[in-house]
Amino acid sequence: MVSGLINENPIVYERKERRDVRTDSSNTNELSVDTIDQLEVFDHIRDIKDPEHPYSLEQLKVLTEDSVEVDDSKSHVRVTFTPTVEHCSMATIIGLCVRVKLMRSLPSRYKIDIRVAPGTHATEAAVNKQLNDKERVAAALENPNLVEMVDECLSPSFE
Amino acid sequence: MDLMEKNLELLEVQKLEGHTDRVWNVSWNPVSSHAHGTLPILASCSGDNTVRIWEQSSLSRSWTCKTVLEETHTRTVRSCAWSPSGKLLATASFDGTTAIWEDLGDEFDCISTLEGHENEVKSVSWNAAGSYLATCSRDKSVWIWEVLGGNEFDCAAVLNGHTQDVKMVQWHPTMDVLFSCSYDNTIKVWWSEDDDGDFQCVQTLDESSNGHSSTVWAISFNATGDKMVTCSDDLTLKIWMADISMMHSGEGYAPWTHLCTLSGYHDRTIFSTHWSSDDIIASGAGDDAIRLFVDSKHDSANGPSYNLLLKKEKAHEMDINSVQWSPSKENRLLASASDDGMVKIWQLETKL
């Protein structure tokens, strides 16, 4: 059993200023309403809570706007996240949370690829392979304990 | 008859709706879909924990769902396979069990449940004689079951060797040789030399044998069984061959060698591939497209090569998990299953 947290003292960053969707002038353009861009995808995932600490993935700089690469014409999104420590055993949980949030938020035509930032994790290839094996993800999401953990990370915190 | 010269297209015959979650696999009944005068039957299995049996009506020619096999598997049903006699259907599930169903005409009866795997069962396959069943799982093992009379199934072997999740098992079409492919990027061949039920791994096709560099999702043999095609997360299809006449004449094991790699045609994982009885290779991939390939019949110094016959883009609205040619020789019917919850029937026809 793990006695302590993986990362006892995470660095917490300020949250980036958010775009107010209601007053943003770019939203008045008919065409842009339907195209999904980098900020919109980031907005879906920035508030996902870290499984171990009471902070969001944005606050821990696990995710930034640049984590997201979108090609709406190809219905493709790739998210690259940076675990706080190299041996983070929570990497697959974090990746799974990001995938689930995007699956629930983006149109079903979207292809989603998740990976850890190159060089930031000891077993990078193994983590990436698991996160992108659709059958493994499907089986994992039939595990009630895992789903409970994911839902907890995805649930909004009220501040 | 050179297929490349005919102007062919894949026409959607019908969209079969009913499943309430992604459809993982489809299987044509080998007898009713093949025999002249009987109607084709198709089984599909899904993340909704059920199996649906679809039948074509003789009057309207349209397909309807004849039965739903439910309340048995408690999790996703990942794979289904009809026995060679067409009377039994095996269904493999994430719940760790493989159910055997008997077609009683009006309904299906679950006559047996095979237990033993430690976690999700991914695939099930019957041998040509219907005397063996094989299953594989995320527990890294391949199990062989003997089909005894009276609805009895006995575990004949537990085969260890793969170092990761085993994705599919497929018996050779004419010999009792079993093939498995895995998340460990390899294909393994299992054979009982003395035919006494003692199966051993006689070959492993890995990167050093010109094999795949990522998860291998499926295996399919041509009708004569001297060639096979495999598909992978590495975005390629690979064609393999063996001198099986050597095996038929009892001269020992004939190893499989790499013949050709089809690369540059897919940009997302290829989840399924199936070799038709008239030599058309179909692939179903994560880009929602179905592709058909044929032997170019122009041998070069590098050996045979294959050409893309056609690409059906947006065949489904989401990933394609399974493609299967109907065994019928009368028409070129293809069934496909997708994450979008649909099963589709296609017909390969000459463009008018």
Side-chain angles (χ1 to χ4, degrees):
Chain A
M1 286 289 289
V2 177
S3 53
L5 296 175
I6 303 295
N7 184 359
E8 298 269 328
N9 296 302
I11 305 167
V12 183
Y13 301 83
E14 275 303 306
R15 273 185 295 221
K16 189 183 159 151
E17 209 180 273
R18 279 140 207 268
R19 177 174 71 185
D20 186 348
V21 180
R22 289 159 299 173
T23 61
D24 188 352
S25 59
S26 73
N27 210 40
T28 58
N29 181 345
E30 282 290 309
L31 290 171
S32 78
V33 171
D34 290 316
T35 1
I36 288 162
D37 64 6
Q38 187 191 49
L39 190 51
E40 183 176 342
V41 176
F42 182 59
D43 278 341
H44 286 306
I45 59 180
R46 67 202 298 178
D47 294 324
I48 295 172
K49 298 203 289 261
D50 181 270
E52 288 190 305
H53 308 94
Y55 299 107
S56 72
L57 296 181
E58 177 184 16
Q59 287 174 310
L60 296 172
K61 269 211 157 82
V62 173
L63 291 174
T64 65
E65 229 176 287
D66 290 332
S67 296
V68 176
E69 294 164 82
V70 188
D71 185 337
D72 189 67
S73 62
K74 291 195 178 132
S75 303
H76 183 231
V77 65
R78 182 166 75 171
V79 177
T80 305
F81 68 97
T82 307
T84 55
V85 281
E86 217 184 75
H87 293 274
C88 178
S89 64
M90 289 286 139
T92 41
I93 306 281
I94 292 169
L96 190 60
C97 288
V98 173
R99 181 177 285 286
V100 172
K101 188 62 172 29
L102 291 178
M103 268 161 49
R104 291 179 185 170
S105 314
L106 297 176
S108 60
R109 62 186 164 92
Y110 259 85
K111 305 296 177 188
I112 302 163
D113 290 328
I114 316 275
R115 63 172 189 161
V116 290
T120 65
H121 196 276
T123 59
E124 183 180 313
V127 171
N128 288 342
K129 196 172 184 182
Q130 271 198 82
L131 289 176
N132 295 294
D133 181 315
K134 173 174 88 170
E135 189 186 64
R136 292 289 279 267
V137 170
L141 294 174
E142 286 184 355
N143 176 337
N145 295 326
L146 210 47
V147 174
E148 200 182 309
M149 245 182 125
V150 169
D151 280 339
E152 176 53 41
C153 293
L154 262 42
S155 65
S157 44
F158 301 100
E159 294 167 42
Chain B
M1 169 195 51
D2 191 346
L3 289 167
M4 289 299 291
E5 279 164 30
K6 293 177 140 213
N7 215 359
L8 293 167
E9 58 179 348
L10 203 57
L11 293 176
E12 185 180 317
V13 171
Q14 200 177 334
K15 186 164 75 174
L16 310 180
E17 296 181 70
H19 280 299
T20 55
D21 202 301
R22 67 190 351 146
V23 189
W24 280 110
N25 195 220
V26 283
S27 178
W28 292 93
N29 185 301
V31 172
S32 51
S33 309
H34 196 167
H36 186 72
T38 59
L39 295 161
I41 290 177
L42 184 71
S44 65
C45 59
S46 164
D48 65 12
N49 306 356
T50 74
V51 176
R52 278 176 178 258
I53 311 293
W54 311 87
E55 201 178 57
Q56 189 180 26
S57 150
S58 55
L59 291 170
S60 67
R61 304 260 97 201
S62 76
W63 292 79
T64 53
C65 180
K66 185 179 124 165
T67 330
V68 180
L69 309 181
E70 53 195 340
E71 322 261 288
T72 298
H73 286 302
T74 54
R75 286 182 61 181
T76 286
V77 189
R78 176 62 181 88
S79 166
C80 53
W82 295 93
S83 64
S85 68
K87 298 200 186 87
L88 302 176
L89 180 71
T91 58
S93 168
F94 282 1
D95 66 14
T97 72
T98 303
I100 313 292
W101 306 79
E102 192 178 354
D103 185 354
L104 301 173
D106 280 346
E107 54 172 14
F108 279 70
D109 190 28
C110 178
I111 60 168
S112 186
T113 302
L114 312 181
E115 295 176 348
H117 280 296
E118 289 169 30
N119 47 49
E120 300 93 52
V121 190
K122 304 290 177 94
S123 173
V124 60
S125 174
W126 301 80
N127 71 339
S131 55
Y132 280 129
L133 201 55
T135 58
C136 64
S137 160
R138 178 167 66 86
D139 68 10
K140 307 172 192 160
S141 70
V142 171
W143 288 48
I144 295 182
W145 308 80
E146 232 187 305
V147 184
L148 311 166
N151 300 342
E152 290 264 315
F153 297 82
D154 236 10
C155 173
V158 175
L159 309 173
N160 297 303
H162 279 298
T163 56
Q164 294 276 2
D165 181 10
V166 190
K167 297 299 196 186
M168 188 189 196
V169 279
Q170 190 70 215
W171 286 96
H172 186 272
T174 62
M175 303 180 292
D176 281 345
V177 183
L178 181 65
F179 294 72
S180 59
C181 61
S182 163
Y183 184 102
D184 69 12
N185 309 350
T186 72
I187 297 142
K188 281 185 180 286
V189 188
W190 312 86
W191 183 47
S192 170
E193 185 164 3
D194 300 323
D195 206 29
D196 56 358
D198 179 25
F199 284 84
Q200 300 296 328
C201 177
V202 289
Q203 197 179 8
T204 299
L205 302 173
D206 58 11
E207 264 189 275
S208 65
S209 8
N210 245 308
H212 290 289
S213 54
S214 190
T215 300
V216 189
W217 282 97
I219 304 168
S220 179
F221 293 91
N222 66 350
T224 47
D226 65 334
K227 291 203 183 72
M228 73 175 172
V229 58
T230 55
C231 64
S232 165
D233 178 61
D234 69 7
L235 315 182
T236 72
L237 289 167
K238 284 180 184 282
I239 316 284
W240 310 80
M241 61 170 265
D243 179 7
I244 59 165
S245 59
M246 210 178 109
M247 280 193 83
H248 279 302
S249 56
E251 288 163 56
Y253 179 68
W256 288 79
T257 55
H258 172 265
L259 194 57
C260 170
T261 295
L262 276 56
S263 57
Y265 295 100
H266 300 82
D267 55 7
R268 300 291 297 178
T269 303
I270 311 164
F271 291 109
S272 176
T273 184
H274 197 230
W275 203 315
S276 79
S277 54
D278 60 350
D279 283 323
I280 304 172
I281 296 169
S283 76
D287 64 352
D288 318 341
I290 294 172
R291 291 169 177 78
L292 304 182
F293 298 88
V294 289
D295 191 323
S296 73
K297 304 224 176 356
H298 292 120
D299 285 2
S300 68
N302 298 324
S305 66
Y306 287 76
N307 291 331
L308 178 70
L309 180 63
L310 74 84
K311 176 185 177 188
K312 187 77 188 178
E313 285 187 23
K314 278 281 162 254
H316 281 272
E317 286 166 31
M318 292 173 74
D319 289 8
I320 296 173
N321 298 318
S322 177
V323 285
Q324 289 276 303
W325 291 101
S326 158
S328 161
K329 300 228 189 282
E330 290 177 353
N331 46 35
R332 291 196 176 111
L333 282 186
L334 181 75
S336 62
S338 165
D339 277 356
D340 64 12
M342 304 290 155
V343 172
K344 285 193 182 186
I345 312 280
W346 307 86
Q347 176 118 17
L348 184 64
E349 284 192 9
T350 313
K351 245 186 239 182
L352 296 168

